[in-house]
DNA sequence: CCGGACGCCTGTCGGC
DNA sequence: TGCCGACAGGCGTCCG
């Protein structure tokens, strides 16, 4: 599920509930996420105040006491705010309850997500240290991308999905950005002009911004904190539309696999 | 050093 | 109808 827009939407939903609030308790029903959820987590959080809730790439970070709770939604994770007390379903693995009695419930059928505790400076944690710039970082430019890509042959789609290059772009938004920038997803990254990098970076930023404005993309199970789906799926130009006509030139959209991921593109518009 | 494949896990869908 | 394989929004690790 979640790429940067979905994580951002989740952040916006949980921030007002958590930030500045004291946590009453945490309930873990299933410890088997991508990495084992530390059994000490509930004791660490209980009675502590969440000072700051923020996003870094596709991670949510909650500063609590002397450390940080790191949350990743994996492929199928979501967090929602329970309107009232409700019995947990089979994939409702973690609840966080504030002293006001509000419950944040983490659901994740595939369990590729993560709940980890970081002591001290979170930026030095091994999962966060390797992350590239945020998409809107002013240091991220067509020139910096071109420099980073120089001499490499990998397909541009894999490159922009690499969180060490820039964070937040997954399979949906990579496909959409490349379509918008009219760049073939397999184009070797070292042979892309500065002009094309300018188009692509602009496209990535626009697509992510539009998706956030639409509440994210809901394909099957993503929902924002209040349980509403995201509506960006309606605006998808190519993702999930292999065989349909290109929205720009009407030729049939093609489907290929790049790095084990399905990629949809227009063979005429994207070069 | 780099890039690609694998594996984690469950649900769903299309084809036979 | 039922079964089976392929695939799904991510990403650390391993291997060539």
């Amino acid at each position: 599920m979640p790429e940067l827009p979905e994580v951002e939407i989740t952040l916006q939903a949980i921030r007002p509930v958590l930030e500045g609030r004291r946590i009453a308790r945490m309930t873990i029903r299933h410890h088997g996420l991508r990495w084992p959820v530390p059994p000490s987590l509930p004791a660490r959080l209980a009675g502590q105040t969440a000072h700051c809730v923020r996003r870094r790439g596709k991670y949510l970070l909650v500063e609590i006491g002397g450390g940080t709770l790191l949350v990743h939604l994996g492929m199928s994770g979501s967090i929602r705010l329970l309107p009232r007390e409700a019995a947990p379903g089979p994939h409702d693995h973690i609840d966080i309850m504030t002293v006001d009695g509000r419950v944040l419930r983490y659901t994740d059928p595939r369990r590729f997500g993560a709940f980890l505790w970081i002591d001290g400076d979170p930026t030095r944690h091994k999962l966060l240290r390797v992350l590239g710039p945020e998409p809107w970082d002013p240091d991220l430019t067509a020139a910096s991308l071109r420099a980073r890509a120089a001499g490499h042959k990998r397909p541009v789609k894999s490159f922009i999905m690499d969180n060490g290059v820039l964070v937040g772009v997954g399979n949906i938004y990579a496909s959409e950005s490349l379509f918008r920038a009219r760049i073939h997803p397999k184009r070797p990254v070292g042979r892309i002009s500065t002009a094309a990098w300018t188009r692509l970076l602009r496209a990535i930023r626009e697509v992510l911004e539009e998706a956030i404005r639409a509440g994210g993309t809901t394909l099957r199970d993503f929902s924002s904190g209040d349980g509403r789906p995201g509506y960006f799926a309606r605006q998808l130009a190519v993702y999930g539309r292999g065989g349909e006509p290109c929205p720009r030139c009407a030729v049939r959209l093609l489907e290929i696999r790049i790095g084990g991921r399905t990629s949809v593109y227009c063979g005429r518009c994207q070069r």
Side-chain angles (χ1 to χ4, degrees):
Chain A
M1 168 215 96
E3 303 181 32
L4 185 148
E6 292 74 33
V7 179
E8 179 67 26
I9 292 299
T10 303
L11 170 72
Q12 290 171 14
I14 69 174
R15 177 178 272 157
V17 178
L18 266 188
E19 212 165 69
R21 307 296 168 89
R22 192 177 296 274
I23 290 169
R25 62 176 167 77
M26 176 188 227
T27 305
I28 305 172
R29 298 184 199 83
H30 203 311
H31 291 261
L33 300 187
R34 167 142 205 198
W35 297 284
V37 181
S40 59
L41 214 43
R44 276 222 142 93
L45 301 197
Q48 302 289 323
T49 297
H51 294 115
C52 168
V53 187
R54 61 187 203 279
R55 181 190 60 72
R56 174 74 176 102
K58 300 176 195 173
Y59 293 94
L60 292 166
L61 303 173
V62 185
E63 263 175 46
I64 301 178
T68 304
L69 173 66
L70 174 148
V71 177
H72 195 283
L73 301 177
M75 201 85 142
S76 60
S78 60
I79 296 176
R80 68 190 193 285
L81 180 58
L82 293 193
R84 60 192 130 71
E85 204 64 37
H91 304 303
D92 295 337
H93 306 310
I94 296 176
D95 285 351
I96 294 175
M97 184 184 267
T98 64
V99 290
D100 330 62
R102 311 255 264 163
V103 176
L104 292 169
R105 179 162 284 180
Y106 172 74
T107 305
D108 186 1
R110 295 178 72 180
R111 307 206 302 273
F112 291 167
F115 270 68
L116 296 174
W117 180 255
I118 304 176
D119 273 314
D121 179 5
T123 62
R124 285 168 41 199
H125 189 273
K126 82 182 254 197
L127 292 174
L128 302 179
R129 206 177 36 208
V130 297
L131 296 180
E134 292 286 323
W136 299 278
D137 188 327
D139 290 342
L140 180 68
T141 62
S144 74
L145 286 167
R146 203 170 79 105
R148 171 93 192 232
H152 294 267
K153 285 188 177 168
R154 62 196 293 213
V156 60
K157 179 156 177 278
S158 309
F159 184 78
I160 61 172
M161 287 175 67
D162 182 340
N163 284 296
V165 174
L166 81 163
V167 295
V169 179
N171 202 25
I172 295 179
Y173 300 114
S175 307
E176 294 297 308
S177 303
L178 288 163
F179 174 75
R180 194 172 289 208
R182 304 197 187 199
I183 297 170
H184 194 292
K186 271 202 169 152
R187 176 101 77 88
V189 85
R191 300 196 3 260
I192 294 178
S193 67
T194 302
W197 279 122
T198 301
R199 291 204 314 275
L200 181 52
L201 182 55
R202 186 188 308 131
I204 289 170
R205 287 170 171 164
E206 284 175 1
V207 165
L208 294 177
E209 283 162 7
E210 288 169 26
I212 291 169
R213 247 180 277 137
T217 299
T218 296
L219 294 182
R220 45 201 128 252
D221 44 21
F222 172 75
S223 69
S224 64
D226 51 20
R228 282 177 312 156
Y231 294 105
F232 195 70
R234 298 177 187 170
Q235 298 173 53
L236 295 175
V238 293
Y239 180 85
R241 298 193 189 279
E244 294 181 29
C246 167
R248 185 182 286 127
C249 78
V251 89
R252 275 169 65 88
L253 294 173
L254 305 175
E255 227 173 72
I256 53 174
R257 286 186 81 78
I258 301 172
R261 317 295 297 274
T262 298
S263 304
V264 185
Y265 69 103
C266 174
R268 183 187 287 173
C269 296
Q270 296 176 251
R271 302 281 170 186

